[in-house]
mmCIF file of all heavy atoms in Angstrom:
data_model
loop_
_atom_site.group_PDB
_atom_site.id
_atom_site.type_symbol
_atom_site.label_atom_id
_atom_site.label_comp_id
_atom_site.label_asym_id
_atom_site.label_seq_id
_atom_site.Cartn_x
_atom_site.Cartn_y
_atom_site.Cartn_z
ATOM 1 N N ALA X 665 -15.283 -14.113 8.566
ATOM 2 C CA ALA X 665 -16.138 -14.911 7.672
ATOM 3 C C ALA X 665 -15.461 -15.164 6.289
ATOM 4 O O ALA X 665 -15.414 -16.227 5.761
ATOM 5 C CB ALA X 665 -17.426 -14.202 7.443
ATOM 6 N N LEU X 666 -14.835 -14.126 5.764
ATOM 7 C CA LEU X 666 -14.117 -14.261 4.423
ATOM 8 C C LEU X 666 -12.914 -15.113 4.628
ATOM 9 O O LEU X 666 -12.558 -15.899 3.779
ATOM 10 C CB LEU X 666 -13.728 -12.888 3.892
ATOM 11 C CG LEU X 666 -14.934 -12.076 3.278
ATOM 12 C CD1 LEU X 666 -14.370 -10.764 2.635
ATOM 13 C CD2 LEU X 666 -15.518 -12.928 2.137
ATOM 14 N N LEU X 667 -12.140 -14.912 5.777
ATOM 15 C CA LEU X 667 -10.956 -15.757 5.984
ATOM 16 C C LEU X 667 -11.381 -17.260 6.061
ATOM 17 O O LEU X 667 -10.602 -18.125 5.611
ATOM 18 C CB LEU X 667 -10.271 -15.363 7.325
ATOM 19 C CG LEU X 667 -9.560 -14.044 7.276
ATOM 20 C CD1 LEU X 667 -9.160 -13.595 8.656
ATOM 21 C CD2 LEU X 667 -8.285 -14.100 6.406
ATOM 22 N N ALA X 668 -12.518 -17.518 6.616
ATOM 23 C CA ALA X 668 -12.956 -18.926 6.621
ATOM 24 C C ALA X 668 -13.261 -19.532 5.341
ATOM 25 O O ALA X 668 -13.200 -20.784 5.183
ATOM 26 C CB ALA X 668 -14.197 -19.000 7.564
ATOM 27 N N ALA X 669 -13.465 -18.763 4.330
ATOM 28 C CA ALA X 669 -13.655 -19.235 2.951
ATOM 29 C C ALA X 669 -12.378 -19.680 2.292
ATOM 30 O O ALA X 669 -12.460 -20.401 1.251
ATOM 31 C CB ALA X 669 -14.476 -18.226 2.104
ATOM 32 N N LEU X 670 -11.259 -19.148 2.792
ATOM 33 C CA LEU X 670 -10.013 -19.583 2.157
ATOM 34 C C LEU X 670 -9.592 -21.006 2.504
ATOM 35 O O LEU X 670 -9.883 -21.453 3.601
ATOM 36 C CB LEU X 670 -8.877 -18.589 2.649
ATOM 37 C CG LEU X 670 -8.889 -17.168 1.971
ATOM 38 C CD1 LEU X 670 -8.004 -16.243 2.808
ATOM 39 C CD2 LEU X 670 -8.455 -17.213 0.513
ATOM 40 N N PRO X 671 -8.820 -21.672 1.621
ATOM 41 C CA PRO X 671 -8.314 -23.003 2.016
ATOM 42 C C PRO X 671 -7.319 -22.825 3.179
ATOM 43 O O PRO X 671 -6.725 -21.732 3.365
ATOM 44 C CB PRO X 671 -7.606 -23.459 0.755
ATOM 45 C CG PRO X 671 -8.137 -22.592 -0.400
ATOM 46 C CD PRO X 671 -8.537 -21.304 0.278
ATOM 47 N N ALA X 672 -7.160 -23.900 3.930
ATOM 48 C CA ALA X 672 -6.301 -23.860 5.129
ATOM 49 C C ALA X 672 -4.809 -23.550 4.714
ATOM 50 O O ALA X 672 -4.024 -23.104 5.584
ATOM 51 C CB ALA X 672 -6.367 -25.160 5.922
ATOM 52 N N HIS X 673 -4.441 -23.868 3.503
ATOM 53 C CA HIS X 673 -3.025 -23.632 3.142
ATOM 54 C C HIS X 673 -2.762 -22.268 2.534
ATOM 55 O O HIS X 673 -1.617 -21.896 2.266
ATOM 56 C CB HIS X 673 -2.598 -24.682 2.025
ATOM 57 C CG HIS X 673 -3.284 -24.516 0.707
ATOM 58 N ND1 HIS X 673 -4.419 -25.083 0.402
ATOM 59 C CD2 HIS X 673 -2.922 -23.747 -0.335
ATOM 60 C CE1 HIS X 673 -4.844 -24.711 -0.840
ATOM 61 N NE2 HIS X 673 -3.927 -23.883 -1.287
ATOM 62 N N ALA X 674 -3.784 -21.476 2.349
ATOM 63 C CA ALA X 674 -3.682 -20.185 1.675
ATOM 64 C C ALA X 674 -2.910 -19.161 2.534
ATOM 65 O O ALA X 674 -2.931 -19.297 3.750
ATOM 66 C CB ALA X 674 -5.049 -19.630 1.341
ATOM 67 N N TRP X 675 -2.300 -18.203 1.848
ATOM 68 C CA TRP X 675 -1.585 -17.124 2.442
ATOM 69 C C TRP X 675 -2.258 -15.818 2.142
ATOM 70 O O TRP X 675 -2.791 -15.646 1.079
ATOM 71 C CB TRP X 675 -0.092 -17.082 2.028
ATOM 72 C CG TRP X 675 0.761 -17.929 2.924
ATOM 73 C CD1 TRP X 675 0.850 -19.267 2.954
ATOM 74 C CD2 TRP X 675 1.806 -17.462 3.836
ATOM 75 N NE1 TRP X 675 1.765 -19.728 3.836
ATOM 76 C CE2 TRP X 675 2.388 -18.604 4.402
ATOM 77 C CE3 TRP X 675 2.224 -16.204 4.206
ATOM 78 C CZ2 TRP X 675 3.401 -18.531 5.363
ATOM 79 C CZ3 TRP X 675 3.246 -16.131 5.163
ATOM 80 C CH2 TRP X 675 3.812 -17.280 5.698
ATOM 81 N N LEU X 676 -2.175 -14.907 3.079
ATOM 82 C CA LEU X 676 -2.597 -13.523 2.924
ATOM 83 C C LEU X 676 -1.418 -12.614 2.741
ATOM 84 O O LEU X 676 -0.496 -12.740 3.529
ATOM 85 C CB LEU X 676 -3.509 -13.065 4.103
ATOM 86 C CG LEU X 676 -3.781 -11.582 4.204
ATOM 87 C CD1 LEU X 676 -4.652 -11.095 3.097
ATOM 88 C CD2 LEU X 676 -4.349 -11.219 5.557
ATOM 89 N N VAL X 677 -1.466 -11.697 1.792
ATOM 90 C CA VAL X 677 -0.406 -10.687 1.655
ATOM 91 C C VAL X 677 -1.163 -9.301 1.620
ATOM 92 O O VAL X 677 -2.027 -9.126 0.788
ATOM 93 C CB VAL X 677 0.388 -10.861 0.372
ATOM 94 C CG1 VAL X 677 1.451 -9.707 0.199
ATOM 95 C CG2 VAL X 677 1.080 -12.219 0.326
ATOM 96 N N ASN X 678 -0.822 -8.425 2.610
ATOM 97 C CA ASN X 678 -1.482 -7.091 2.606
ATOM 98 C C ASN X 678 -0.418 -5.961 2.442
ATOM 99 O O ASN X 678 0.395 -5.804 3.286
ATOM 100 C CB ASN X 678 -2.251 -6.935 3.854
ATOM 101 C CG ASN X 678 -3.068 -5.671 3.877
ATOM 102 O OD1 ASN X 678 -3.329 -5.068 2.835
ATOM 103 N ND2 ASN X 678 -3.588 -5.266 5.075
ATOM 104 N N VAL X 679 -0.563 -5.192 1.349
ATOM 105 C CA VAL X 679 0.346 -4.075 1.105
ATOM 106 C C VAL X 679 -0.550 -2.800 0.904
ATOM 107 O O VAL X 679 -0.044 -1.856 0.431
ATOM 108 C CB VAL X 679 1.225 -4.319 -0.106
ATOM 109 C CG1 VAL X 679 2.207 -5.428 0.198
ATOM 110 C CG2 VAL X 679 0.413 -4.618 -1.338
#
Side-chain angles (χ1 to χ4, degrees):
L666 284 182
L667 287 167
L670 286 164
H673 69 270
W675 270 71
L676 165 69
V677 178
N678 188 16
V679 294

